[in-house]
Amino acid sequence: MNTLLKISRRSALVLAAVSIAMGANAQPSSTKPIRLVVPFGPGGVADLTARVVAQKMSESMGQSIIVDNKPGAGGVVAADTVAKAAPDGLTVLLMSNGNAVSVGLFKRLPFDTVKDFAPVSTIGYFDLAVVTSADSKFKTMQELLAYAKAHPGTVNIGTINVGSTQHLAAELLKRSTGIDAQVIPFNGSPAMITALRGGQIDAGVEILAPLLGQISGKSLHPIAVMGTKRSFALPDTPTVAESGAPKFNVASWNAFAVPAKTPPAVVERLNKEVNAALAAPEVKERLRQIGVEAQGSTPQQQAELLKNEIQRWSEVIRLAGIPKQ
């Protein structure tokens, strides 16, 4: 009996040691920094969003988070970096709807956008808006749509870069409202805004944040936002859904993801830290100041969002006849 008791105690100690080791391996190391790979340059809305959330997470976790900006190829460079990283929770991707768009936009990607990443949580949504110049004859979305239907092919809608969310949102707007309009991509927001203010285009579709200064300065006039509800930044501006396309809904989003095969316990811990950071009043307020509505999720909800966005934008790209890159 004493021999059996010794064996039982020894087995229990071994199992306990294994469990402790497994638990340690299932957490990001507190002695090593987390690398947050951002597929955009410094200073933009997505970059600022990532930094605000990362700073709060770092304080809570007692672990430094280093932002690594890797713009290029529509987010492919950054995503590929994370897809090939060790699945230890120390490399995180700032994912966006651009990752969903890339699936339909590129002939081939060096990774599988669904299979090679483990979703952690969404972190925020930011509105897109339809704007006209201050002296435009179009003061409402209904007026723009009515004119476009009465004068097919004469309305020009400006956006940024081919294949951007803004560009595809304008294409989707055409199809959802049944108008015959020209969508004209510009190389960046400043060029599009200049053309809009100069009368070269009739309306512009852009993420709200870069437009807020022009809107508050009265040089641009918002006629609609593209989400399901009115923007907290423009409570008096109706949605596209309120203005003639009842089911229309487009919003840009950001999320965190890690390499596939990252242990579930690591994903769970990161998810908990992200959502705790987003619940902090100072984080919510800072994000609102840059036009972002903080909103976390479960990993499963983020996975479903990504799947739905891939399906939707791939169909828009196909119907719009946009050549694959």
Side-chain angles (χ1 to χ4, degrees):
M1 290 292 292
N2 288 339
T3 300
L4 289 174
L5 184 59
K6 289 179 181 178
I7 292 173
S8 177
R9 286 175 176 172
R10 188 178 300 133
S11 298
L13 289 171
V14 169
L15 286 172
V18 169
S19 297
I20 291 171
M22 289 179 67
N25 290 334
Q27 302 293 334
S29 171
S30 60
T31 61
K32 295 182 180 179
I34 292 174
R35 178 189 183 196
L36 176 56
V37 183
V38 175
F40 306 97
V45 177
D47 174 70
L48 293 174
T49 300
R51 291 176 186 273
V52 169
V53 179
Q55 181 179 349
K56 189 63 178 180
M57 289 176 62
S58 179
E59 294 171 2
S60 173
M61 299 169 73
Q63 185 173 3
S64 61
I65 300 178
I66 299 171
V67 175
D68 183 6
N69 296 95
K70 282 189 173 296
V76 174
V77 174
D80 191 42
T81 299
V82 176
K84 292 178 171 57
D88 55 10
L90 295 176
T91 307
V92 179
L93 174 67
L94 179 73
M95 186 173 273
S96 74
N97 42 305
N99 295 100
V101 169
S102 293
V103 176
L105 192 61
F106 289 92
K107 294 178 182 177
R108 184 176 301 169
L109 293 171
F111 51 82
D112 187 303
T113 304
V114 174
K115 295 181 180 178
D116 288 342
F117 299 96
V120 174
S121 173
T122 58
I123 60 174
Y125 289 79
F126 33 108
D127 288 308
L128 281 77
V130 184
V131 292
T132 58
S133 64
D135 57 358
S136 172
K137 61 185 176 184
F138 304 121
K139 302 302 183 185
T140 67
M141 191 71 194
Q142 289 94 332
E143 290 176 356
L144 178 69
L145 295 178
Y147 185 89
K149 289 177 181 178
H151 303 84
T154 62
V155 169
N156 296 321
I157 302 174
T159 70
I160 66 167
N161 312 38
V162 173
S164 65
T165 300
Q166 297 91 316
H167 177 224
L168 298 180
E171 291 287 353
L172 185 60
L173 178 66
K174 284 173 51 179
R175 297 190 175 278
S176 299
T177 57
I179 61 173
D180 178 5
Q182 302 298 317
V183 176
I184 303 175
F186 289 83
N187 186 22
S189 299
M192 190 273 286
I193 291 172
T194 298
L196 183 58
R197 294 182 62 180
Q200 283 81 47
I201 54 177
D202 299 294
V205 172
E206 175 57 298
I207 291 169
L208 184 56
L211 301 174
L212 288 175
Q214 302 274 344
I215 292 171
S216 62
K218 306 298 183 182
S219 59
L220 293 181
H221 174 65
I223 60 173
V225 292
M226 291 184 147
T228 56
K229 60 182 180 180
R230 296 191 179 195
S231 171
F232 63 86
L234 298 173
D236 295 329
T237 302
T239 65
V240 172
E242 292 177 88
S243 306
K247 295 183 179 180
F248 192 90
N249 173 31
V250 175
S252 195
W253 52 269
N254 284 143
F256 284 159
V258 291
K261 299 183 180 178
T262 298
V266 174
V267 175
E268 182 179 352
R269 183 199 178 196
L270 289 171
N271 176 270
K272 180 180 177 182
E273 294 290 350
V274 171
N275 280 278
L278 294 173
E282 66 272 23
V283 171
K284 287 184 177 181
E285 178 57 29
R286 180 68 186 97
L287 292 180
R288 281 200 164 212
Q289 289 173 3
I290 58 174
V292 178
E293 185 167 9
Q295 185 172 328
S297 72
T298 65
Q300 294 75 23
Q301 288 169 333
Q302 187 198 327
E304 189 66 21
L305 171 66
L306 180 61
K307 178 183 175 183
N308 291 339
E309 290 282 85
I310 288 173
Q311 182 177 359
R312 171 161 71 159
W313 295 126
S314 293
E315 181 70 2
V316 171
I317 289 167
R318 184 186 69 81
L319 291 174
I322 299 172
K324 287 183 176 288
Q325 301 177 20

